[in-house]
Amino acid sequence: MLNKALNKAHIQEREAQRYIKKGVFDKAVELEKSVIRYLEQALGESQNALAREAIQLQKKRHTAVLLRIERKVENLKQLRARATEATDMSEIPDFGGKTAPVLGTPSSSFSTRSSDKDRLIAKLQEEVLSLRGQLDQSRQENTLLKQRILELEGSVISAQPSATSVAASEDFSLTPLERPQFKNW
């Protein structure tokens, strides 16, 4: 069951990353929340201390990613609200994709609205770049965590007694090492 929860968490993480790349942040938030739920489930099922530590680190990282995405979503909502306030599109009639001044509206206001749109687009592009940078940072953290897991597993394997000493003691029982099984993509 532990492997099942970890595999589901990993699949959800990959899907969340795809949605971030597409700019669908609300769906990415939803998926990151499900990743955290699966990690909590795996944490409850795990009995190995090293595996529990690794899962806790993953949960901590995903919680941080979730908070960053939620902050970015909130910032984007605020930017959109400001852009809507600054540029009321109902005042500008559509003439085949071209804008024309409304009667009584000075034409200089259109250049202002256009520059507001340009600024908004630039800010949105900055937000997307920032999220992509955070995604890259999260991937690096994930790689470091995987390396740490491998190091911890290696130290556990080297600390295990030899087969002859295990055979000599009759009541000695080792629990199997729990290791997350990730699907290869």
Side-chain angles (χ1 to χ4, degrees):
M1 292 304 264
L2 173 67
N3 290 338
K4 186 177 179 181
L6 287 174
N7 284 337
K8 285 184 178 182
H10 183 68
I11 290 168
Q12 295 290 318
E13 175 188 14
R14 295 285 185 174
E15 194 172 342
Q17 290 172 356
R18 282 192 287 273
Y19 277 110
I20 289 172
K21 284 182 182 177
K22 291 179 185 177
V24 184
F25 302 113
D26 291 333
K27 184 67 175 173
V29 166
E30 198 176 298
L31 289 168
E32 281 294 333
K33 287 179 181 178
S34 71
V35 167
I36 292 170
R37 282 193 302 272
Y38 282 125
L39 289 174
E40 288 172 347
Q41 179 183 353
L43 192 59
E45 295 171 357
S46 176
Q47 296 177 4
N48 184 295
L50 294 175
R52 290 180 62 80
E53 180 184 353
I55 294 169
Q56 287 173 341
L57 289 171
Q58 289 178 25
K59 182 182 170 197
K60 182 179 176 182
R61 183 182 65 81
H62 281 285
T63 303
V65 168
L66 176 64
L67 291 175
R68 278 186 261 161
I69 295 171
E70 286 177 336
R71 268 189 257 126
K72 293 298 178 182
V73 167
E74 187 61 35
N75 288 343
L76 287 172
K77 285 179 182 177
Q78 290 173 359
L79 284 173
R80 287 182 185 134
R82 279 190 261 146
T84 303
E85 291 171 4
T87 309
D88 187 6
M89 296 304 286
S90 64
E91 296 178 9
I92 306 170
D94 186 15
F95 296 104
K98 300 176 183 173
T99 56
V102 178
L103 293 176
T105 306
S107 61
S108 65
S109 67
F110 286 100
S111 63
T112 304
R113 288 183 183 147
S114 177
S115 66
D116 287 344
K117 287 181 190 176
D118 292 339
R119 276 188 256 137
L120 176 64
I121 289 170
K123 284 191 179 228
L124 290 174
Q125 288 172 338
E126 288 175 19
E127 291 292 325
V128 168
L129 289 175
S130 173
L131 283 172
R132 285 188 179 150
Q134 289 176 3
L135 177 63
D136 290 338
Q137 181 183 2
S138 295
R139 284 181 179 157
Q140 289 173 350
E141 289 175 17
N142 193 14
T143 303
L144 292 174
L145 286 171
K146 286 178 183 178
Q147 289 173 350
R148 178 71 176 138
I149 288 171
L150 291 174
E151 289 172 8
L152 290 172
E153 286 175 347
S155 67
V156 167
I157 291 171
S158 65
Q160 290 180 350
S162 68
T164 55
S165 65
V166 170
S169 66
E170 296 172 358
D171 63 336
F172 186 82
S173 62
L174 290 176
T175 58
L177 180 63
E178 296 175 5
R179 180 177 177 193
Q181 300 292 320
F182 297 103
K183 264 187 170 178
N184 291 332
W185 289 87

